[in-house]
Amino acid sequence: MRDQDMIKTLLTGTALAAILTASIAVSSPGHGDGIGELGDAAQVDRTITVEMDEMKYSPETIEVESGETIRFEVVNVGRAVHEFNIGTRETWNNHRGEMQTMMREGMITARSINHDRMMEAGMMHDDANSVLLEPGETGEVIWIFPEGGEIGFACNVPGHRGAGMEGDFRMGHDS
C-alpha cells in the first residue's frame, strides 16, 4: 500500500508541475513580460509589412496605439537569416545566450535554419512575439500592444543587433 501511495503522490505532483508549466507558457508571450500579447487574427486592426535586409528594418519606426492588434507581415529580403523580435533591451539581452547557442550548435547559420536540430535540442524558437526567417522567407506576428512602455523590435541573430538591426515602436495616444 505504501508504494502505491508514493506512486500516486509522485504522479499527482508531476501532473501539477506539468499544468503549472503549461499555464506559465501560455500566459507569457515568450522572451519577456510587459511587451504586449499574442493577438487574434480575426481581430486585426491593420497589417504592416516589415522588410529585413542586411542589418536594417524598413520601416525603422512604427506608430502603434495601446490595445491595437497589428499583423506584421515580415519579409526577409536580405541574404542572411534574420529575426523580427518584439521586446525590450532587457528581453533581447536575456535572449542573447539562446541565440548564441543556436548558432554555435549549428541550429542556425548565416544563411539557413536547421529546424530538425532545433527540435532535437528543444529550442524551437516559436514564441508569439518573434519570427526567425531564412533569406526570401515571409512570416507573420500578430500582436496586441500594451499601454506605454519602451518596446521595440530587433534581430537577435548574433552580431545583428550590435550592428544596428533594431527598430522602435512609437506609442500613440488614444483619442
Side-chain angles (χ1 to χ4, degrees):
M1 290 283 244
R2 191 170 180 115
D3 287 343
Q4 288 177 342
D5 289 339
M6 284 182 11
I7 290 171
K8 263 188 196 176
T9 302
L10 180 61
L11 290 174
T12 302
T14 302
L16 288 173
I19 290 168
L20 179 60
T21 301
S23 68
I24 290 169
V26 169
S27 67
S28 174
H31 301 311
D33 295 319
I35 60 172
E37 61 187 88
L38 173 65
D40 179 354
Q43 303 295 319
V44 169
D45 295 310
R46 63 186 167 124
T47 298
I48 297 172
T49 299
V50 177
E51 290 186 345
M52 302 185 294
D53 204 341
E54 278 22 281
M55 307 316 144
K56 67 179 179 171
Y57 291 100
S58 180
E60 292 179 358
T61 301
I62 300 171
E63 292 256 351
V64 298
E65 301 287 336
S66 66
E68 183 175 28
T69 301
I70 298 178
R71 175 191 327 269
F72 293 98
E73 178 183 70
V74 185
V75 184
N76 185 348
V77 298
R79 294 184 315 262
V81 169
H82 290 299
E83 177 186 47
F84 176 80
N85 181 277
I86 298 172
T88 64
R89 291 191 192 293
E90 179 183 1
T91 62
W92 300 325
N93 289 339
N94 291 339
H95 184 42
R96 183 180 313 168
E98 178 182 2
M99 294 298 285
Q100 289 171 336
T101 298
M102 291 169 69
M103 183 73 86
R104 183 178 58 251
E105 299 296 324
M107 293 174 228
I108 58 174
T109 68
R111 290 185 167 55
S112 66
I113 303 168
N114 187 326
H115 296 283
D116 291 337
R117 293 210 56 184
M118 291 170 83
M119 278 179 54
E120 289 169 9
M123 298 177 83
M124 285 311 303
H125 202 277
D126 59 357
D127 296 306
N129 64 317
S130 184
V131 63
L132 182 66
L133 302 171
E134 291 180 341
E137 287 187 322
T138 298
E140 78 173 20
V141 173
I142 299 175
W143 204 248
I144 301 172
F145 285 85
E147 218 168 294
E150 301 272 333
I151 304 165
F153 48 99
C155 179
N156 294 296
V157 171
H160 292 201
R161 187 168 68 108
M165 197 164 182
E166 190 173 327
D168 295 310
F169 291 115
R170 188 170 300 141
M171 301 301 277
H173 300 289
D174 294 320
S175 309

